[in-house]
Amino acid sequence: MPPRWLLSAATSCLLPALLLGNLPSASAVFADEAYKSDFHLSLIGYPRNPDLTFFQAPYSGSKGSLLYTVTDKNVIAAVNPKDGSTVWRQLLEHNSSSPTESFLRPGPAQDVVVSGSGHKVEAWSAADGKQAWRNDVKSGQVRDVEVLQIEEGKEGAEKDVLALVQDEKTSILKRLNGKTGEVVWESLDTSGDIPFQLSSSLTTIFVVSYTSTLIGGNVKVKVASYDPQTGRNIDKQTLSTEIDISHPENIFVGANSAAPVIVWADTSSKTLKVNVLGSKSISSFSIDSPTGEEIRDVSVHAPHQPNALPHFLVHYQTGKTHWAEVFHINVKKGKVTKAYDLPKLSGTGAFSVSTIDANVYFTRVTDDEIIIVSSASHGILSRWPKKPVVPATQRLVLPHAVQASSEVVAKPGNTFAVRSVVLYSDGDWKLVKNGEEDWIRPEALAYADEAVFVDPPEDLSLALNLEVEGHENVVKGFFHRAKRHLHDLQSLPARLEQLPQLVLGSFFKKSESILVRGKRYGFDKILAIATTEGRLLGLDFAEGGKVMWNINLKALDPNEQWSPVKLDTAVAGTITVQGYQSKKVLEFNATTGLPLTPEQLVNRVAVATPETPARLSVYYDFSEINNVVQGYQSPDGIERQELWTFQPPPGERIIVVTSRAAHDPVASIGRVLGDRRVLYKYLNPNLVLITSVSEASGKATFTVLDGVSSNVLHTSTHVGVDTSQPIPAILSENWLAYSFTLNTSSSAASAKGSSLTFTEFYESSIPDDRGPLGASDEVSSVGKNDLSLPHVVSASYLIPHPLSYLTTTSTLQGITTRSLLGITHSSDYPTTLYSLPTNALSARRPVGRDPTPQEAMEGLSRYAPVFDLAPPWAINHKREIWGLKKVISSPSGLESTSLVFAWGLDLFGTVTAPSGTFDMLGGGFDKIQMLITVAGLWAGVLGVAPFVRRKQINTPWQMS
Amino acid sequence: MQFFTLLASIIPLSVASRLAISIPASAQIPQPASLSSSTYAILHSSGPSLTAPLTSRNTFEFGSLEPGSYLLSVYCRDYAFEPLRVDVSGEADEETVQVWQTFRGNAWDNKGELRGAGKDVTVDIRALGSNEYYQSRGGFSLLSFFKNPMILMSLFSLLVIGGLPWIMNNMDPETKAEFEAMQKQRREKPASSPSDTASQIQNFDMAGWLAGSSKDKRG
C-alpha cells in the first residue's frame, strides 16, 4: 500500500482528467449540500378564527400537545408549539375559485381532528395527518362541523360528528359516525333558510339559520332544535325581533357549551342582545362607549366545552381603545347577567378563552402586557409585561394583536402559566409564552403574489474617491490618496485579527450554509415580495429568507389596492412598485424598506441618466377583452403609433403572450456539432410567443412572431388539449418550450398524460451556413430579407406530471447552459420544482436510430417519447413544498450559478448550477488532502534531491 | 313543520362506484404505514383532476366517479409508483370500474393486464422503486485509480527506473561487460544525443508527447 500522500498526489493529477471525462450533465443536488444551499418557508396563512385554533395531544398518552389550526388559505396544519415548525399540513378545496369556508374541530376521539370544507367532511389522524375517513357531500357546501356532545351511557364512548350542509334551498343536518364517517341519520330542511351555524348542548342540537327580510336588508334568525338520537326536528322558532345587521357574520353563536347563546350588537353598536338558544327571551344590554368613540368591532369569546361554566366575554374595540364585559348565564332560568367589566385600555387588544375542567379563563393580549382573569371574578390571576417589540424606527406602524388562542395551565401554588398564539396585524403569527415571544411565523408571506430579486446597493465610495483623485491636480491627488490609504490602514489590525479565524475556518467550517458563503459571490440579493394583501416584504436571500422589513402599502396610499402590483428594480438597492389601477409608482430602499424621499429620487435620476441615444422601441400590448395583440411604437412616450395587430384563428382565445426576458444574454451564436462544424442559432431579440386555445375543439396554437415586422415565423397546433389545465410557455435564446395536458377523453389512439414540447430555431438547416442572411452585413426585420424564416426543429415529450409554470435559469454572461425550470401543477399535494437540462430536451435528438458518434459527442441521445422527470432534476429534493405557483431566477456573481426563488403557499429559494460549479470549489474538494499532497510532494523532492545531486556529480567523473 | 322531512337511520344508500387503491407491503416498501401524509393519488381525465390523500389504512379512496377514462398516478416523495388506467362505464349508480395496467408513452388503447373490475374495487398498486434525489460525489476508489492509463504508464516507468539497475546487477558478468561497453560507446557519441537520464527527464516535452508529435517529425 503506497503512503497516503502518494495516493493524494495521484488523485490531484487525475482531477483534470476526471473533469473532462464526466462533467455533471444535470444539476442534481449533492447529498452534502442539500438543506445548506437552499431554504424553505413552510407557511399556512392566517388562522381563520380563534375558535378553530386549538392545542390538542396528538394521541392519547402523548406528553406534549400540537397546535392545530385551519387558515383562510384553507390549509389545516399541525404546528409544533415548541419551535413553530409544521408537523403536517393538508390543503382543503384549494382549487375552487369561490371562497369556501373551512372548519376544524378537535376530533370525537382524541387521535383525530375533523375538518369540513366545500363538499367534504374529513377526519385526519392528529399525529401524522393521514386521512382517517371522509364523507363526501354530493352537492352543496359544508356550513359547519361540530362534535356531538351527548352523554351516552358509558364514559369514553366514541363521539359522533355533526355536519351542516347547504344545498341551494335545502339545508341538511347530518350525524356521522365518529369512527367511520358513515351517515347515522340525515335531516332535511326545505324551508329555504340559509343555515348558518350548528350548536349542541348536552341534550339538544340547534341549527341557527336566517332569512333576509325584504325591508332594509335586515335578517330574521331562526333556531331549530333536533333530537341527537334520531335526528327528529323538535322545534323551530323565529327570534321575536329582526336583527338589523347587514352581515350575518356579525352574529355570534356560542357552540357546544352548557348554554349556547346567540349574541349580536345592533348596527349602531348601542345595544348588545343575547338569546340563550332554546328560549324565546332576548336580553338587551346597553353598550356605553365611555368616550363616545365609535365602536369598530364587537366580538364574543365563549368556552367550547359543554362541561365548562356558562360564561362568556364580549370584546369592544374602538379606533383607539378596547375593553370587555363578562356575562354569566343562569342555565336553569335561562337568564343572562353581566358579571364584571375588564377595564378600558388604549390600543388594540385580543382576547382568548381557555378552560381547565369547568373553570373558564380569559387571556387578554394588549400592546404591552398579557393578563389572565377567571370568568368568575375580575381579579387578575397573572400578569406578564411584554418585551418591547423591535425598535420602531423601521416600522411605519407598530403591529397590534388581531386574534389570539391560548392554553392556560394551573400550577401548584395557585399560579398560572399561559401560552398564546397571537396573530399580529403585520401578518406575524407568534407564540407568546408567559409574556415572552417563543417563535414567529411570517404568515404574510403565504399570500405572496409577485416577487423580484433586487441587487444590494452598490458601494460607490471607492469609485467616487478615484474620480476625485483623477480630476484633482497631482499634488492634491497624491495627498488625497495618501489620506485614503492611511484611513484604510486603520482597519488593518482588525483584518489581521480575523486572519487566523478565516484560514482555520476555511479548513474546518463544513457546516456553514452555502448561501451565506456565497454572499461574497453575489448571493446576497434582496427578495422583494408583494402580497395579495397589499404588503411589501424584503427578504434576505443569503440568510435563508429572513424577513428584513414588512410594510403595508395600503397605509402609504389608501387610494390604491396595491394588489396586484408590478415589481421592478431600476437601480441596484431600490424597488419600484406600481399599482395596476392608478399606475401610481412608489419607490423603496431595498435594505431598509423605507420609501425613497424626493431628493433621493432626484439624485438617483441625475446619476442614472443613460447617455445612449433614444432607440425606437416597439412595444406590444395584449388585450384579453378584444382578444388581440397589438404592436406599437411610442417615440415620445405618450402617443401610440400602431404597427401591427395579431388576431388568433377564429374560435380561439389568446391566453398568454410571452417574450424573451430583459436579461437573456447569449454567449455563443452557434451550436458546435460533433465534427466541429457550426449550426448558427436564430437569435432574434424581438420574438413574441402567443398561446391561444379553443375550448370547444380542445386545440392549442402556439405562434411565434417577429415583434417588429409581425411576420409569423412559426406556428404549431396541438389537438386533444385539456384547455382547463395550465399551458405554460417560455421563450429564451433560440428556443421555446411549452407544456400542456392531453385530454384523456378524446380520441383513444393517442397517448394520455402531459406533454412538453421543446423547439429550437436555427438560421439554416445546413451547418456552417447562415442562410439567406449569410452575406449581409446588417440585418433588419423589416428590410428586404423580412421573409427569411428560421429553420425550426421541434420535439415533444410525454411527461408524468403536468407543469404549471416554466422559466429558465439565468446567469451573468449566458455561458452556462440554461436549464428549464418547471413547477408541477397540483392544488392539494406538494409541488415539485424541476430543473431540466435543455440538452436532454434537445429537439435534435435522433429519432428512430442510435446517435452517430458525432452526435454522441454533442451529447445527443436517441429520442424517446417519454421524458421521465427524474428525481435528481427536482431541485427541491426531499423538501415538500406546497402550492408553488411561480418561479424566478437571477444571475449570481458566479457565472456557473443561478439564484432561484419560487413561491405560492410556501417559499423556496435555492442556487443551481446547470453545468456544475466550474468556477467554485465544491464541497467535494478536500483542502486538507490538498495540503497533504503538496507537503508530500515537497518531502519527496527534498528526499530525492541528494541522490540526483550525487548522480550528477558522479556522471562526469565516470566518463573515463 | 310540514317543511321537514326526516330521513330515518336507514337511508337507501344508493352507493355509487367506489375505487380504492391499496399500497401493499412489498420489497420496495416494507412498511407502507411509514409513508408521509402528503402522498396522494391523482385521477385525471379532463378538467380539474380528482385527488385522494393517503388514509391511515394505506389506501387511496375515490367515491362516486363520473363515467370516463382516467389516468391514475401517485404523487409520493420517496417512491415511484406505476400508472394505472381507470375506466368507469355505465349509467348513474350502476357504474362499473375497471382498472388496467397502462404504459406511459403508448397509445391509450394499449392497456396491460386487468387489475380489477366491479362496482366496488380495491386494487393493489406496485411501487417501481425509491426516488433517489441526490447526486453522489465521485469519491476515491482504488480500482478506478489503477484503471487510469496515465497511472498505468507511470507505474510502468517506475518499474523500469527501479527495476533496471536490479536486472543489471543480477546479469552474468559477460553480458554485463558487453552492456557496459555498449553504454560507453554511446557516451562517446556527440553531445547532441543526450544520454543523461536525469536531464532527459527534465527536458521531456510532455505536451509534445501527449499531442503525439515527436522531435523527428518537427525536425
Side-chain angles (χ1 to χ4, degrees), chain B residues 131-179:
Chain B
N131 287 338
E132 295 301 332
Y133 288 97
Y134 300 115
Q135 192 177 347
S136 60
R137 292 218 182 263
F140 176 70
S141 131
L142 208 63
L143 190 71
S144 68
F145 175 67
F146 282 112
K147 271 185 186 165
N148 192 291
M150 282 286 281
I151 296 301
L152 287 178
M153 268 190 294
S154 55
L155 277 181
F156 176 73
S157 53
L158 204 74
L159 206 77
V160 169
I161 291 167
L164 214 61
W166 184 79
I167 295 169
M168 292 255 297
N169 284 341
N170 290 354
M171 269 191 285
D172 63 299
E174 208 171 298
T175 336
K176 198 173 177 181
E178 197 182 316
F179 188 77

Side-chain angles (χ1 to χ4, degrees), chain A residues 10-11 14 29 33 90 128 130-132 134 186 190 722 724-725 743-744 749-750 752 798 828 877-878 880, chain B residues 3 7 33 35 37-38 40 45-47 51 54-57 61 77 105 107-108 134-135 137 140 145 148:
Chain A
T11 31
L14 272 179
V29 181
E33 287 182 351
Q90 292 287 357
D128 60 7
K130 281 185 197 168
Q131 201 174 62
R134 173 172 73 176
E186 277 187 340
T190 50
D722 187 345
S724 66
Q725 297 290 303
N743 195 336
T744 47
S750 64
K752 309 294 176 199
L798 271 179
D828 34 21
H877 53 98
K878 290 210 165 185
E880 293 200 295
Chain B
F3 297 121
L7 292 179
L35 289 174
S37 63
S38 61
Y40 266 77
S45 167
S46 61
T51 57
L54 185 66
T55 66
S56 31
R57 300 171 291 282
E61 288 165 18
R77 187 189 67 178
W108 190 233
Y134 300 115
Q135 192 177 347
R137 292 218 182 263
F140 176 70
F145 175 67
N148 192 291

Side-chain angles (χ1 to χ4, degrees), chain A residues 148-151 200-206 228 256-260 306-307:
Chain A
L148 183 60
Q149 307 283 351
I150 48 168
E151 290 166 288
S200 72
S201 71
L202 291 172
T203 50
T204 327
I205 301 167
F206 299 102
N256 283 17
S257 63
N307 53 356

Side-chain angles (χ1 to χ4, degrees), chain A residues 390-396 592 594:
Chain A
V390 188
T393 49
Q394 302 239 334
R395 300 183 185 241
L396 299 165
T592 59
L594 296 172

Side-chain angles (χ1 to χ4, degrees), chain A residues 371-382:
Chain A
I371 303 164
I372 313 182
V373 290
S374 160
S375 67
S377 72
H378 67 279
I380 291 171
L381 298 176
S382 261

Side-chain angles (χ1 to χ4, degrees), chain A residues 25-291:
Chain A
S25 54
S27 50
V29 181
F30 285 107
D32 53 309
E33 287 182 351
Y35 301 98
K36 280 187 202 163
S37 61
D38 51 14
F39 65 86
H40 171 209
L41 268 68
S42 144
L43 300 166
I44 55 176
Y46 300 148
R48 241 171 215 282
N49 184 328
D51 283 344
L52 303 177
T53 303
F54 50 88
F55 291 88
Q56 186 189 319
Y59 49 91
S60 52
S62 159
K63 273 182 192 153
S65 56
L66 293 179
L67 176 63
Y68 296 91
T69 189
V70 59
T71 68
D72 56 7
K73 280 259 175 191
N74 288 341
V75 178
I76 35 175
V79 175
N80 187 342
K82 288 200 176 69
D83 56 4
S85 61
T86 46
V87 179
W88 58 264
R89 285 182 287 170
Q90 292 287 357
L91 259 68
L92 309 169
E93 295 284 322
H94 195 68
N95 48 356
S96 66
S97 49
S98 60
T100 45
E101 294 172 289
S102 45
F103 306 93
L104 186 73
R105 306 282 180 204
Q110 207 180 14
D111 56 349
V112 295
V113 289
V114 180
S115 73
S117 177
H119 56 271
K120 274 185 276 188
V121 180
E122 290 160 296
W124 307 92
S125 163
D128 60 7
K130 281 185 197 168
Q131 201 174 62
W133 51 258
R134 173 172 73 176
N135 189 294
D136 283 322
V137 178
K138 282 187 203 82
S139 57
Q141 294 271 316
V142 176
R143 299 308 296 258
D144 201 2
V145 171
E146 283 290 352
V147 172
L148 183 60
Q149 307 283 351
I150 48 168
E151 290 166 288
E152 276 185 297
K154 59 181 189 288
E155 190 71 21
E158 199 74 46
K159 288 179 194 160
D160 282 356
V161 174
L162 293 172
L164 183 63
V165 180
Q166 182 193 2
D167 184 9
E168 286 177 29
K169 289 274 173 192
T170 322
S171 84
I172 310 155
L173 176 65
K174 289 182 176 208
R175 177 173 166 173
L176 307 175
N177 186 314
K179 229 174 193 166
T180 61
E182 277 159 20
V183 177
V184 178
W185 51 253
E186 277 187 340
S187 186
L188 263 66
D189 179 348
T190 50
S191 62
D193 297 340
I194 298 153
F196 171 56
Q197 265 215 359
L198 198 57
S199 179
S200 72
S201 71
L202 291 172
T203 50
T204 327
I205 301 167
F206 299 102
V207 171
V208 181
S209 52
Y210 65 87
T211 44
S212 301
T213 54
L214 291 170
I215 321 139
N218 292 354
V219 293
K220 251 186 167 17
V221 172
K222 295 178 182 174
V223 179
S225 46
Y226 294 87
D227 176 27
Q229 297 300 341
T230 59
R232 192 173 56 84
N233 180 257
I234 302 165
D235 181 29
K236 185 168 187 178
Q237 53 176 292
T238 308
L239 291 192
S240 54
T241 53
E242 284 179 7
I243 299 182
D244 49 345
I245 52 172
S246 42
H247 300 292
E249 294 85 50
N250 294 350
I251 313 172
F252 171 82
V253 180
N256 283 17
S257 63
V261 284
I262 307 182
V263 185
W264 70 95
D266 58 3
T267 358
S268 52
S269 292
K270 285 280 189 290
T271 19
L272 183 81
K273 295 186 176 170
V274 184
N275 166 255
V276 179
L277 286 182
S279 81
K280 288 198 168 177
S281 65
I282 294 171
S283 320
S284 296
F285 301 91
S286 69
I287 305 168
D288 36 291
S289 173
T291 47

